[in-house]
Amino acid sequence: MAPRRIWIFLGGAVAAVTGLTLTYGTDIGNALYLITYLTISTMAWTAVRQLPAGPERTPWVLAAASQTLWLTGDVIELIYLYFDSVPPVGLADAFWLAGYPLLALALIRMARRRAAGNLRGAVLDGLTLTVAAALASWQFLILPAIGSGLGLLETIVPPLYPIADVVLLAAVLFIALSPGDRGAPTRLLLGAVVLYLAVDVAYNVLPLFADYDLVARIGPLIMLGNALVIAACLHPGHTELTRPGQRVNLLHPSRVVFLGLAFLTAPTLSLFEDGLERDAIVALGATVISTAFVLSRFTIAVREQEKTQALLVHQARHDPLTGLANRAVLADELARTGPVAVLYLDLDGFKEVNDEHGHEAGDLVLSTVAQRLSTAVRATDLVVRLGGDEFVLFCPNLPEPEAMKLADRVIGDLAQPIMFGDRVLDIGASVGIAAYGPDTPARDGDVLRDADRAMYEAKRQGRGRWVMARN
């Protein structure tokens, strides 16, 4: 689905949830609630069915299943409401609680796929923050419920919700803290889970300050979270959540702050439990200062490692002479091929330049060609040096007529003379073009292979021309 349609869908979801909040608790509101939830759940499964079968679809299946379980719990609750009395704890709780581990498992599977072999740091940081959240949840939400003096089920079941939230928090932190792209799909999914957690916390905390009938009106916000998940699934870039990303995992300043707060959670809670005595406050202050020093030293060390890692990653994926992307980057892009045009270039006259003027002149030619190619393409295109005097232009969503115009422009640009001291270097280019639209998909290797063959045909026909590969 196009991004514009996704934002229209989300705008409709916001409008629907606003209406449901205003009519919450009425017969009309309940009917609209059920219809809206059924519609959103159906859309979730429709979005899943549009994905190709395989391991990349499995997390989305789990997310859709969690929404269906929550819907089932709401349906059971409405049946109780209209045909019996709503029990404090009932069958609906089983379905509501069952949705949390499914969604958490979906997030964990996404994190493992997008950060394959590079998830250890995210897991450690995520668990650190989760332990702090679990400690706060134990003291303020679980212990009061256990000590309520109610029946067995009414004592056991309510604390399961904070526990489920802690599990869900851990799972979403694995994604939030893991390396990988941070496009709109990732932000939509993270926003959905944050909304789920905020609603659950509000259900537990707000009744202490406001009437429960007013607090209950935030329930429809769950459907907005569901809509965000669907939008992430429908987004054209949804594969960033289930495929390994190339982004280096940097230590964001907020991450250090959150870790510091996690370290201080236990002593702070102990201080409030034991009382605000002077000695305890002094001890807490000393702990805060020590934690700040430790985290500062930790940050400096990590920053030094990040610079080294970023340099190694750049060197592994870029040509050292021209600074262009190399074959490894092109292979990654080819694996994600949709509608695309690929131009395969081989320089004409480059061997003669090297033989007559030496490698210094050859290096100048290659660097100049790289600059001219980078200027000729769009910001979304990729310029690659395969090696020697062979280059590739990888142009997503470029129609065949536009690819022909680009080839003409490139041939003209590269035919311009290059000054080497007081000498003029003349080169040209032979270009092979392979263009695939949405109705003519290609396998990963076909695009480059077809463009390569077309380039050799252009070479055979003569210098300074292009040939279009025919599918």
Side-chain angles (χ1 to χ4, degrees):
M1 181 182 289
R4 181 172 177 271
R5 292 186 177 182
I6 290 175
W7 296 118
I8 293 174
F9 162 67
L10 289 177
V14 170
V17 169
T18 301
L20 292 173
T21 302
L22 296 175
T23 60
Y24 188 84
T26 66
D27 291 340
I28 294 177
N30 290 336
L32 292 175
Y33 183 93
L34 185 59
I35 292 171
T36 304
Y37 214 151
L38 281 170
T39 302
I40 286 181
S41 183
T42 301
M43 288 190 66
W45 287 108
T46 301
V48 168
R49 283 197 296 272
Q50 293 179 4
L51 302 177
E56 292 185 13
R57 184 168 70 174
T58 302
W60 299 108
V61 172
L62 294 171
S66 68
Q67 295 189 15
T68 302
L69 288 171
W70 290 335
L71 168 61
T72 304
D74 285 351
V75 170
I76 293 173
E77 190 82 349
L78 287 174
I79 292 173
Y80 277 135
L81 179 65
Y82 283 100
F83 297 99
D84 200 347
S85 60
V86 178
V89 174
L91 181 60
D93 292 282
F95 286 93
W96 289 332
L97 287 168
Y100 287 89
L102 284 185
L103 182 57
L105 182 59
L107 297 172
I108 292 171
R109 290 180 69 96
M110 289 180 184
R112 290 184 63 184
R113 291 190 63 81
R114 71 190 259 119
N118 196 21
L119 193 59
R120 184 178 303 175
V123 170
L124 292 175
D125 289 351
L127 291 178
T128 300
L129 295 171
T130 301
V131 168
L135 184 60
S137 182
W138 170 262
Q139 183 162 332
F140 295 112
L141 299 178
I142 298 176
L143 275 181
I146 293 177
S148 62
L150 300 174
L152 181 61
L153 286 178
E154 294 177 36
T155 300
I156 294 176
V157 173
L160 293 179
Y161 286 96
I163 294 173
D165 283 334
V166 169
V167 173
L168 190 57
L169 174 64
V172 75
L173 285 173
F174 294 163
I175 287 185
L177 300 176
S178 66
D181 298 326
R182 294 288 190 273
T186 300
R187 293 194 295 268
L188 288 168
L189 184 64
L190 295 180
V193 180
V194 169
L195 184 58
Y196 293 148
L197 295 173
V199 170
D200 281 355
V201 171
Y203 266 129
N204 284 280
V205 175
L206 289 183
L208 301 175
F209 310 99
D211 185 74
Y212 185 77
D213 291 336
L214 181 62
V215 175
R217 290 180 179 271
I218 67 176
L221 289 175
I222 293 294
M223 279 190 283
L224 180 57
N226 294 345
L228 290 172
V229 174
I230 296 170
C233 183
L234 291 173
H235 196 281
H238 66 86
T239 55
E240 74 178 32
L241 284 159
T242 51
R243 287 187 179 180
Q246 300 301 331
R247 176 177 172 179
V248 177
N249 192 22
L250 300 179
L251 184 65
H252 194 277
S254 62
R255 192 166 181 172
V256 178
V257 173
F258 292 148
L259 288 174
L261 293 176
F263 293 151
L264 295 173
T265 298
T268 302
L269 292 177
S270 299
L271 178 64
F272 279 100
E273 185 176 356
D274 298 337
L276 299 175
E277 298 182 358
R278 186 182 63 181
D279 292 344
I281 295 175
V282 172
L284 179 61
T287 302
V288 170
I289 295 173
S290 299
T291 301
F293 287 146
V294 170
L295 289 178
S296 297
R297 180 65 187 92
F298 164 76
T299 302
I300 294 172
V302 171
R303 290 295 188 204
E304 292 173 352
Q305 290 184 341
E306 287 174 352
K307 291 178 181 179
T308 303
Q309 182 184 8
L311 178 61
L312 292 174
V313 170
H314 185 273
Q315 291 175 343
R317 297 176 62 81
H318 290 80
D319 174 54
L321 174 63
T322 63
L324 297 179
N326 62 15
R327 190 181 294 270
V329 179
L330 180 61
D332 290 339
E333 294 301 323
L334 289 171
R336 290 190 273 262
T337 292
V340 68
V342 169
L343 280 66
Y344 200 119
L345 292 80
D346 186 87
L347 300 184
D348 298 324
F350 178 74
K351 183 178 184 301
E352 290 78 1
V353 169
N354 254 343
D355 292 343
E356 183 177 348
H357 302 288
H359 291 293
E360 184 179 353
D363 289 348
L364 174 64
V365 168
L366 294 174
S367 299
T368 303
V369 167
Q371 293 172 3
R372 292 178 180 179
L373 292 177
S374 299
T375 302
V377 299
R378 305 167 300 176
T380 54
D381 298 336
L382 179 68
V383 183
V384 178
R385 183 190 176 200
L386 292 182
D389 61 343
E390 293 184 331
F391 297 81
V392 167
L393 306 183
F394 182 89
C395 309
N397 300 308
L398 186 68
E400 184 174 308
E402 295 299 320
M404 296 176 182
K405 293 179 182 179
L406 176 60
D408 284 329
R409 186 164 64 251
V410 165
I411 289 174
D413 290 346
L414 297 189
Q416 298 299 315
I418 299 173
M419 298 303 301
F420 178 62
D422 57 353
R423 286 164 287 185
V424 177
L425 307 179
D426 289 316
I427 61 165
S430 298
V431 181
I433 308 172
Y436 291 85
D439 299 326
T440 56
R443 293 185 297 273
D444 295 351
D446 288 350
V447 182
L448 192 61
R449 187 182 307 112
D450 291 347
D452 186 20
R453 290 172 179 170
M455 183 272 292
Y456 277 106
E457 178 62 22
K459 280 278 191 188
R460 189 185 67 79
Q461 294 182 15
R463 175 174 173 161
R465 67 179 66 236
W466 57 262
V467 168
M468 174 66 69
R470 294 302 168 189
N471 305 325

